[in-house]
Amino acid sequence: MPIETAIETYRGVVYPWQMDHMDHMNVQFYTARFDEATWHLFAALGMSANYFKANRRGMAALEQRTLYKRELHAGALIRIASELLEIRPKTIRFLHRMYDSESGEEVASTEIVGAHIDTDARKAVPFAENLVKLQAGFVDARAKSA
């Protein structure tokens, strides 16, 4: 999958306090970075914190699969590029790829399925039509570049 279809959703650095006993970044910090990237992706898809609050909506993770490809050590500069893979009436599936900014090497990736929820009813609800159109544009752009 070419990176040109993705948008940048995170930049950061690996800190010494994020190391585990094996002297590489602990898995909890990969997950935290992917979570931060998710909120940037959602905002790009029209689902900002303001959208969620004003519409009494939210997102719930249903499934996540992470692949760890290379260790990261203290001082590593990292970035995440994200793609929307699929949109359904109540769910989206997206992919984050984490890169070592210095080498350009992909070091980890995670694919997530999330549900759009009504925060009062606590159940999945369809995306609003304007969001579906915006999100479909991201999927269409990906399909055209494949």
Side-chain angles (χ1 to χ4, degrees):
M1 206 173 304
I3 189 151
E4 294 80 28
T5 63
I7 62 169
E8 184 175 281
T9 52
Y10 181 86
R11 278 191 184 264
V13 64
V14 178
Y15 291 100
W17 56 268
Q18 297 171 327
M19 300 300 102
D20 61 17
H21 67 284
M22 298 294 294
D23 201 31
H24 60 250
M25 188 167 77
N26 188 274
V27 296
Q28 69 179 308
F29 298 108
Y30 285 86
T31 302
R33 278 12 188 305
F34 286 135
D35 180 66
E36 292 174 30
T38 295
W39 295 109
H40 283 275
L41 177 63
F42 286 170
L45 297 172
M47 299 182 295
S48 66
N50 288 334
Y51 161 80
F52 289 125
K53 186 175 184 179
N55 294 283
R56 304 180 79 76
R57 295 294 182 255
M59 293 297 295
L62 302 176
E63 183 179 343
Q64 183 170 354
R65 181 172 181 248
T66 302
L67 301 174
Y68 301 97
K69 298 179 178 186
R70 196 189 66 141
E71 296 176 336
L72 287 170
H73 301 283
L77 298 175
I78 56 175
R79 67 181 178 84
I80 297 175
S82 305
E83 299 177 61
L84 179 59
L85 302 177
E86 178 181 40
I87 171 116
R88 294 189 175 207
K90 298 178 184 179
T91 63
I92 60 173
R93 184 170 59 93
F94 51 96
L95 175 69
H96 296 305
R97 294 177 189 268
M98 182 182 292
Y99 296 90
D100 178 311
S101 295
E102 187 175 358
S103 70
E105 183 180 1
E106 185 177 327
V107 297
S109 65
T110 194
E111 187 173 320
I112 302 171
V113 176
H116 184 245
I117 63 167
D118 177 313
T119 56
D120 292 328
R122 308 304 283 180
K123 68 177 191 171
V125 294
F127 290 103
E129 188 61 34
N130 63 322
L131 291 179
V132 171
K133 287 179 183 176
L134 178 62
Q135 294 169 4
F138 277 80
V139 174
D140 291 343
R142 181 180 172 274
K144 288 177 185 174
S145 68

